[in-house]
Amino acid sequence: MKKILIAVAFAFVSQIGFAQQDEAFKKDVMKVIELSGAANQMKSAKEQILQMVPKDKQAAFVIEFDATLPSLYDKLATIYMQEYTKEDVKAMLDFYNSPVGKKINEKSGVLFEKSQAAGQEWGQGLQSMMMKYVQQ
């Protein structure tokens, strides 16, 4: 009985240790998400959507939109933690704290907007091309 109790106590202590390590890992992943420019991309997306919302409802929309972001970032962190090791995340942090990494963060919103415009333009051209082949 004593051995079982010791084994259970050891397992419990191990779980606490792993949970603390996972929290530190998750904190680093959240920092990578922030530094990678995801927040800037979400800001750009919000601004685009906001243009479609009537002026009298924009303040309420912004509050509701912003309230959804922690949940999204939490889900992204889980995905990152499944796909990357702790060493990968540390290397990403080093990169995003470098001058080039900081520039990527700063430019991510602009790149998102320009990429979206390029994608729309490409899609319109593709649609015209498809019509040529779809029509009989």
Side-chain angles (χ1 to χ4, degrees), residues 50-111:
L50 200 56
Q51 293 174 7
M52 295 181 271
V53 176
K55 293 243 185 257
D56 62 324
K57 296 180 182 179
Q58 287 183 355
F61 169 79
V62 168
I63 291 169
E64 201 167 333
F65 182 93
D66 289 347
T68 67
L69 294 178
S71 166
L72 172 63
Y73 294 147
D74 190 61
K75 289 175 184 175
L76 291 175
T78 299
I79 293 167
Y80 275 57
M81 291 169 72
Q82 292 168 349
E83 299 298 325
Y84 297 111
T85 66
K86 293 173 186 173
E87 292 77 23
D88 293 336
V89 170
K90 293 287 185 190
M92 287 180 211
L93 284 172
D94 289 343
F95 171 74
Y96 283 119
N97 283 314
S98 74
V100 172
K102 289 176 182 178
K103 186 173 184 177
I104 286 174
N105 184 355
E106 291 169 10
K107 298 290 184 181
S108 64
V110 172
L111 289 173

Side-chain angles (χ1 to χ4, degrees), residues 40-53 58 61-62 65-66 112-113:
N40 288 338
Q41 291 175 0
M42 294 311 297
K43 183 179 177 184
S44 292
K46 178 174 64 174
E47 293 301 322
Q48 289 180 357
I49 297 168
L50 200 56
Q51 293 174 7
M52 295 181 271
V53 176
Q58 287 183 355
F61 169 79
V62 168
F65 182 93
D66 289 347
F112 175 76
E113 290 175 15

